Amino acid sequence: MVTPDFKKGNGLIPVIVQDDETKEVLMLAYMNCEAWLKTLETGKATYWSRSRNELWIKGETSGHIQLVKEILIDCDSDTVLLKVDQIGGAACHTGYRSCFYRKISDGNVEIIGERIFDPGDVYK
């Protein structure tokens, strides 16, 4: 089996997360080898939190988990694309469906995403 080359990124690789049905890009996260193996084992997207310096299962707190439908690895084996079923409708911790909910146009920021939940209600 092909496995990511974790050495290239000092133990971490970027992971692009895409909705399996709509093809919308939901987020970018990072995996270490442990997160990679946990994702393969459970079928739930598991990442490495650079800010908390720990493993995290997406949606563990919010309930908005990501069930992995397909895994693709790039030609250099240093980036992964996860196609997921986004349970609960929101991937972003700010409550939006996608982390890419802001559009920059002519120096202005426009909110183009849909807010699914209030983070104050979810992350108490």
Side-chain angles (χ1 to χ4, degrees):
M1 178 166 105
V2 174
T3 58
D5 186 350
F6 293 101
K7 293 177 190 170
K8 286 183 183 176
N10 294 320
L12 295 177
I13 58 160
V15 181
I16 302 162
V17 184
Q18 182 181 43
D19 185 286
D20 186 51
E21 270 189 43
T22 68
K23 309 306 179 208
E24 179 181 18
V25 175
L26 299 175
M27 58 183 272
L28 172 82
Y30 292 87
M31 280 185 179
N32 62 6
C33 187
E34 184 182 4
W36 167 257
L37 293 173
K38 194 76 167 170
T39 298
L40 293 177
E41 176 190 327
T42 66
K44 293 180 183 177
T46 305
Y47 306 107
W48 180 258
S49 171
R50 295 177 303 157
S51 59
R52 295 188 313 266
N53 215 26
E54 66 183 17
L55 206 64
W56 60 283
I57 299 167
K58 180 65 177 160
E60 197 168 38
T61 303
S62 68
H64 297 178
I65 63 170
Q66 294 173 339
L67 300 177
V68 177
K69 297 298 181 182
E70 188 174 11
I71 301 173
L72 293 93
I73 190 164
D74 78 331
C75 58
D76 294 324
S77 296
D78 60 4
T79 303
V80 167
L81 171 64
L82 293 183
K83 293 185 180 183
V84 302
D85 180 5
Q86 179 63 59
I87 305 301
C92 186
H93 72 282
T94 63
Y96 286 88
R97 169 141 178 84
S98 167
C99 292
F100 301 97
Y101 63 89
R102 299 175 290 183
K103 178 180 174 181
I104 308 298
S105 180
D106 296 324
N108 297 310
V109 177
E110 177 186 358
I111 303 297
I112 59 168
E114 176 187 1
R115 190 169 228 173
I116 306 295
F117 69 88
D118 180 347
D121 293 339
V122 173
Y123 304 110
K124 295 178 184 176

